Every structure is written in C-alpha cells, then in structure tokens.
Amino acid sequence: MATNIVWHEASVSKEDRREKNDHGSFCLWFTGLSGSGKSTLANALAKYLFEANVQTYVLDGDNVRHGLNKDLGFTDEDRKENIRRIGEVSKLFVDGGQIVVTAFISPFREDRQQVRDILNENEFFEIYVNCSLDECEKRDPKGLYKKARNNEIKHFTGIDSPYEAPVNPELVVNTESQSIQESVKTIVQFLEEKGLIKSGISNGI
Amino acid sequence: MATNIVWHEASVSKEDRREKNDHGSFCLWFTGLSGSGKSTLANALAKYLFEANVQTYVLDGDNVRHGLNKDLGFTDEDRKENIRRIGEVSKLFVDGGQIVVTAFISPFREDRQQVRDILNENEFFEIYVNCSLDECEKRDPKGLYKKARNNEIKHFTGIDSPYEAPVNPELVVNTESQSIQESVKTIVQFLEEKGLIKSGISNGI
C-alpha cells in the first residue's frame, strides 16, 4: 500500500484539506439560552454528519470549561475571554478542515461578532437556537434556573443577566416548536443549499 | 446518495472517530531548541500523512501565538500558560480523531509533563528534536540568536534561559545528522511499529 505517496516538503493548506475531505470547513456557532437544546442539537448534528463521512467536532461546556478554560470564571471579563478562546480554537479546527459546532450561550452580540471577525466569509454561521425563557425554565435540565431564582447562582443569563438575541443570524431553529430531528434537518439542508456539504446528505433524516 | 444514513440521537465518541478514520488519534509533542527544525519537520510529517489519508494537524507558533495565545507574553507564568493551553487544544484534536503535531520549544520538563498528564496512555508521545546549540545558532533562521546575543531579546532558550532536554522521550530525532526526510521516516516507522497508523505508510519516504 501507499505506493503512490511520494516525498515532497510542503505544508498542507486549508484548501487541500477541504478537497481531501470533500466538504467545506467552517464554524456553526449556536447561541441561545441555557436549556434551549444547543448541546443536544450540536451532538445530534455531529453524529449525523459523522455517519455521512463529514468531519465534524463539537465544542461545548463539557470539553472546554473543564479543560482549556478551566481558569476562567463568570465575570464579564472572563466570559469575554471564554468566547474569544473558543473562537480561536474554532479557527484552528476550520483550518484543519473540520466543521466545528460550538454550543455556548454566548449571550453578548459583541463577543459573537469578534469570533465572526477572526474567521473568513463563509466560515462563520450564527445559528440562533430559539426557545422561550418559559420553556427553557420548564425544562431546566441542569436545575440551574431553579438555583438562579433562589439566588444561589448570580449573573445567570435570562434571569439576572441579559441575553442579546442575534440580529441577523444565518439561520434560526426553534427547538420549542421543532423536534431535535427537525432542527438537524433544517441545518443540514441549509449546508447543502450553501454548497458547503454534498447534496443528498439530508435525505436520511 | 446517503441512503444508508439513518436518524438516531447520540454523540460521536473518540473511538468512533478513530475507527472511521482508520488510524489512532494522539499528540506528537516535539520539543527542542529554536532552529532545531521542529516546525519544518512537523509540517513535512503532516504533509506526508495527509497524502496517506491520515488526519493530521500542526500546532505551532504561526497559528497559536497570533491567535489563541496572543494575550500571552514571555514571563515564566505566561510561558507555562502557553503550553497548558496548547496541551488542552491538543486534547480536543485527539478527541476529534486527529493526530496533532505540536512544534514549540517547550523548554521545561514540568510543563511537558502536565500535558502528558491530561492525555491518556498512548495519546502523548514526546519527540526530542535534537540539534546542538552551535548548529541551531549557525542556522538562526529567524535571526533570534543574534538578537539574543546582542541582548535585544531576553530569556531566550539556550542563551539566557535553560532548555531542559527530555529524560525519557518516546523518540529522538537528530536533525543535525539526519535530513528532514530521514527524520520523517523515523517518526512514521515509529507510528507503524506502535500500531497507531497502518503499516506500509512509510514505504513512500
């Protein structure tokens, strides 16, 4: 095997990787309230794309907050730095030919804009995972809203800290009126329409 | 197309990714003096593996210092944090099924050990890119040794800041006596012997 590989010194470009992977590389930036379903949706999307041989990776609280960003707290400055670093890591994954899906509340427009600014056109897609505060609070999968209402957590988005909804997101999915499966389909079809992945991939959803 | 893809909610594990990619995922941590050839070697290795359909990504000063770690300087504390973040990002790439090759001087044993500690067994391989200070200074590709000798740069590794060579690295390549091509071959053969990539890949070097 490997007889067609020959020696030559050079580095691999982002374009080389995209061509080899046979799909684009970009960041799908999910933003929305706690409990809106960002992480569930991101993982379901990644799983579906994985089965379709599309290189996809999810960045969320599970793999970032206890690792890269474990030195950061929840002050304004630290929240800003949290998003900045996630943006920079996303850029590395995009450079590496991957689709990176980020699942963070990322409540402030300015912070999301800064991530958009470090990526090229067609490398950053803001996806608003829309779900009413009432519904998120009803779901309360981690019991955080209850704690926030009891003042056990301070600066909780939607309770005593603002959430700035996207003004012109590339896509909106509504996890209150749509199932996760329907939301994944909406996103995969969006990627097909943009020519970022091969058409037909959404057929199995 | 894509007719064999069916809907199911779950997330993708590291093991799933390794199986799909048909190779292991791990970190090759290059350490060595400035000018020893770490970045050149890392890029040459990544290029060769890329041609062999092995998902590989290089982290080096070019894509880290001006991005993720642009807030860090060269104090002891910042150098430590620099390596910590690179280690954490490496862990994300490993989790994403990639081979990540890091090319940083990383002069301190303690810092390299900390990266080893956050990765699992067979996920961290320390590769000492060995080249004498004399030879590195002769090469001086970025003119940094000259500046360090003229006191224009402080705390420069090998001049007025120590380099702690690895005690038990998984592999040593000597870029003074070996060409880049020979060093790449040594590394690819090492990966084959460990069963981390398919055998035969080194045949083309």
Side-chain angles (χ1 to χ4, degrees):
Chain A
M1 65 160 293
T3 48
N4 60 336
I5 313 170
V6 290
W7 175 257
H8 52 127
E9 270 182 53
S11 56
V12 186
S13 71
K14 180 162 58 178
E15 289 68 31
D16 293 336
R17 294 173 195 279
R18 288 169 176 171
E19 198 182 330
K20 172 84 86 178
N21 287 341
D22 205 14
H23 57 75
S25 73
F26 47 85
C27 174
L28 299 178
W29 190 277
F30 288 8
T31 173
L33 293 171
S34 177
S36 61
K38 296 179 300 302
S39 207
T40 306
L41 183 56
N43 279 291
L45 173 65
K47 175 76 173 177
Y48 190 77
L49 291 175
F50 172 80
E51 299 292 345
N53 298 317
V54 174
Q55 295 276 341
T56 313
Y57 191 66
V58 174
L59 295 175
D60 64 12
D62 286 345
N63 57 18
V64 169
R65 267 284 177 192
H66 302 289
L68 178 66
N69 291 356
K70 70 177 177 186
D71 56 322
L72 301 176
F74 292 90
T75 62
D76 279 3
E77 198 185 337
D78 279 6
R79 290 175 82 133
K80 207 173 194 56
E81 175 64 7
N82 180 48
I83 298 301
R84 185 193 73 81
R85 289 189 200 165
I86 294 160
E88 292 289 359
V89 171
S90 297
K91 188 176 175 175
L92 294 171
F93 274 88
V94 170
D95 189 45
Q98 307 265 313
I99 296 174
V100 60
V101 188
T102 64
F104 299 89
I105 300 173
S106 50
F108 301 114
R109 280 185 202 120
E110 187 188 345
D111 298 346
R112 299 193 301 264
Q113 182 63 43
Q114 281 184 356
V115 178
R116 187 185 288 274
D117 289 347
I118 64 165
L119 287 160
N120 295 331
E121 209 173 339
N122 280 321
E123 287 184 349
F124 180 88
F125 300 95
E126 192 174 17
I127 300 183
Y128 180 25
V129 182
N130 193 3
C131 183
S132 71
L133 179 62
D134 273 1
E135 173 64 17
C136 289
E137 196 165 353
K138 207 177 290 171
R139 294 177 184 173
D140 205 8
K142 300 174 194 164
L144 297 173
Y145 284 99
K146 198 176 171 200
K147 286 187 180 170
R149 291 288 184 197
N150 291 336
N151 284 315
E152 293 166 47
I153 305 174
K154 299 275 179 204
H155 310 299
F156 193 75
T157 301
I159 305 300
D160 56 347
S161 186
Y163 176 75
E164 300 175 356
V167 178
N168 280 310
E170 273 76 9
L171 193 66
V172 181
V173 290
N174 190 311
T175 59
E176 201 165 348
S177 59
Q178 280 193 319
S179 68
I180 291 293
Q181 182 168 354
E182 286 167 333
S183 295
V184 168
K185 187 162 192 161
T186 301
I187 297 168
V188 176
Q189 286 177 336
F190 167 81
L191 299 178
E192 287 175 350
E193 281 158 22
K194 286 265 176 192
L196 294 163
I197 60 172
K198 283 196 284 191
S199 61
I201 288 180
S202 66
N203 292 350
I205 309 177
Chain B
M1 64 159 294
T3 47
N4 60 335
I5 314 169
V6 290
W7 174 257
H8 52 127
E9 271 181 54
S11 56
V12 186
S13 73
K14 182 162 58 178
E15 289 67 31
D16 292 337
R17 294 173 195 280
R18 287 169 176 171
E19 196 181 331
K20 172 84 86 180
N21 286 341
D22 205 13
H23 58 75
S25 72
F26 47 86
C27 174
L28 299 178
W29 190 277
F30 288 7
T31 173
L33 294 171
S34 177
S36 60
K38 297 179 299 301
S39 206
T40 306
L41 183 55
N43 279 291
L45 173 65
K47 175 77 174 179
Y48 189 78
L49 291 175
F50 172 79
E51 299 291 346
N53 299 317
V54 174
Q55 294 276 342
T56 314
Y57 191 65
V58 174
L59 294 174
D60 65 9
D62 285 345
N63 55 20
V64 169
R65 266 285 177 192
H66 302 290
L68 178 66
N69 291 356
K70 70 177 176 185
D71 56 323
L72 302 176
F74 292 90
T75 63
D76 279 3
E77 197 184 339
D78 279 6
R79 289 174 83 135
K80 207 172 195 54
E81 173 65 6
N82 180 48
I83 298 302
R84 186 193 74 80
R85 288 189 200 166
I86 293 160
E88 293 288 359
V89 171
S90 297
K91 187 175 176 175
L92 295 172
F93 274 88
V94 170
D95 188 44
Q98 307 265 312
I99 297 174
V100 60
V101 188
T102 64
F104 299 89
I105 299 173
S106 50
F108 302 114
R109 281 186 201 121
E110 188 188 344
D111 298 347
R112 298 193 301 264
Q113 182 62 44
Q114 282 186 353
V115 178
R116 187 186 288 272
D117 290 345
I118 63 165
L119 287 160
N120 295 331
E121 209 172 341
N122 280 321
E123 286 184 349
F124 180 87
F125 300 95
E126 192 173 17
I127 300 181
Y128 180 24
V129 182
N130 194 2
C131 183
S132 70
L133 180 61
D134 273 1
E135 174 64 17
C136 289
E137 196 163 354
K138 208 177 290 172
R139 294 176 184 174
D140 205 8
K142 301 174 193 162
L144 297 173
Y145 284 98
K146 199 177 170 197
K147 286 187 179 169
R149 291 287 185 199
N150 291 337
N151 285 314
E152 293 167 48
I153 305 174
K154 299 277 178 201
H155 310 298
F156 194 74
T157 301
I159 305 300
D160 57 346
S161 186
Y163 176 74
E164 300 174 355
V167 177
N168 280 309
E170 274 75 8
L171 194 65
V172 180
V173 291
N174 190 312
T175 58
E176 200 164 347
S177 59
Q178 282 192 318
S179 68
I180 291 294
Q181 181 168 355
E182 287 166 332
S183 296
V184 168
K185 188 162 192 163
T186 301
I187 297 168
V188 176
Q189 285 176 337
F190 167 81
L191 299 179
E192 287 174 350
E193 281 158 22
K194 287 265 176 192
L196 294 164
I197 59 172
K198 283 196 285 191
S199 61
I201 289 181
S202 67
N203 292 351
I205 310 177

